[in-house]
Amino acid sequence: MEKHLNILNTKPINILQKILFGEQNTIIFYFGDTPNWSKTEIIKDVAVPSDYYEMIEITFNLKYNDLADLYWKINRYCGEEMFLQLNGDTLSFWEGEVVDFEEYWGTFDDLEDNIPILHHKKSNVLKSSDDWKSDYENLRARYYRLYKELWSLREKNE
């Protein structure tokens, strides 16, 4: 019998773009398919980026101090691949790509498993022109950084 994994975000949209505090113990997660070019060393092929974020709003069953602590821990992982798994009334964070085999899932050392939640809501939000501009500027900065590295290697070898 096949086990249902109950992953909240979809396969190609698994890069945490940003998170925000919501109202009443809520954290809002924005997932996309565009890497944070200034943070990652991995060049991921994004031939046709999506024009929306997958927004997942989760109301946690935590005290405010614990929620704030969780927010800042997760905030460090913006730009990285992450997916969320719902286990009844708890939530777990996993690192990497969404794959069907749990033994390949990575963990975040500082994020607990099975964090209690009250409910969640999922929707798609269109990217704004500022989002597209930010993506472009980050990609351009990454390109110039790689170009400078290549140029300096060339000069050393000549």
Side-chain angles (χ1 to χ4, degrees):
M1 184 171 151
E2 189 175 314
K3 182 175 153 185
H4 184 63
L5 301 174
N6 214 4
I7 306 297
L8 292 180
N9 44 324
T10 56
K11 245 182 196 177
I13 314 237
N14 69 325
I15 298 172
L16 182 63
Q17 302 294 315
K18 60 184 173 181
I19 64 171
L20 301 171
F21 266 121
E23 297 177 0
Q24 300 174 346
N25 277 18
T26 299
I27 295 179
I28 304 167
F29 299 83
Y30 290 85
F31 287 94
D33 58 359
T34 307
N36 180 339
W37 298 108
S38 62
K39 188 173 187 177
T40 185
E41 293 297 318
I42 299 169
I43 303 297
K44 184 174 179 173
D45 182 24
V46 184
V48 182
S50 62
D51 59 351
Y52 65 90
Y53 293 117
E54 200 168 71
M55 182 182 80
I56 302 174
E57 190 173 334
I58 299 175
T59 304
F60 289 90
N61 190 9
L62 297 172
K63 294 179 182 173
Y64 181 77
N65 290 344
D66 295 333
L67 184 70
D69 187 45
L70 177 65
Y71 172 86
W72 288 113
K73 284 179 182 178
I74 296 168
N75 192 51
R76 290 188 296 214
Y77 296 111
C78 284
E80 296 189 25
E81 292 180 316
M82 171 187 286
F83 58 99
L84 311 177
Q85 181 188 29
L86 192 61
N87 304 312
D89 60 351
T90 64
L91 183 75
S92 296
F93 297 90
W94 298 97
E95 182 180 22
E97 291 186 45
V98 180
V99 293
D100 294 333
F101 306 105
E102 289 182 61
E103 55 269 14
Y104 295 127
W105 296 0
T107 59
F108 294 100
D109 293 336
D110 58 343
L111 292 176
E112 301 292 324
D113 284 346
N114 301 317
I115 299 169
I117 68 168
L118 297 173
H119 56 83
H120 73 283
K121 181 172 69 172
K122 181 177 170 179
S123 60
N124 292 339
V125 178
L126 285 176
K127 288 183 178 179
S128 69
S129 58
D130 288 340
D131 294 331
W132 285 108
K133 181 180 176 185
S134 175
D135 286 348
Y136 171 76
E137 287 173 349
N138 288 334
L139 177 59
R140 188 178 77 186
R142 176 76 175 128
Y143 170 79
Y144 284 126
R145 213 171 26 258
L146 287 172
Y147 184 77
K148 284 180 185 179
E149 288 175 21
L150 180 64
W151 191 259
S152 68
L153 286 173
R154 259 189 178 163
E155 288 176 343
K156 286 180 183 178
N157 291 332
E158 289 180 355

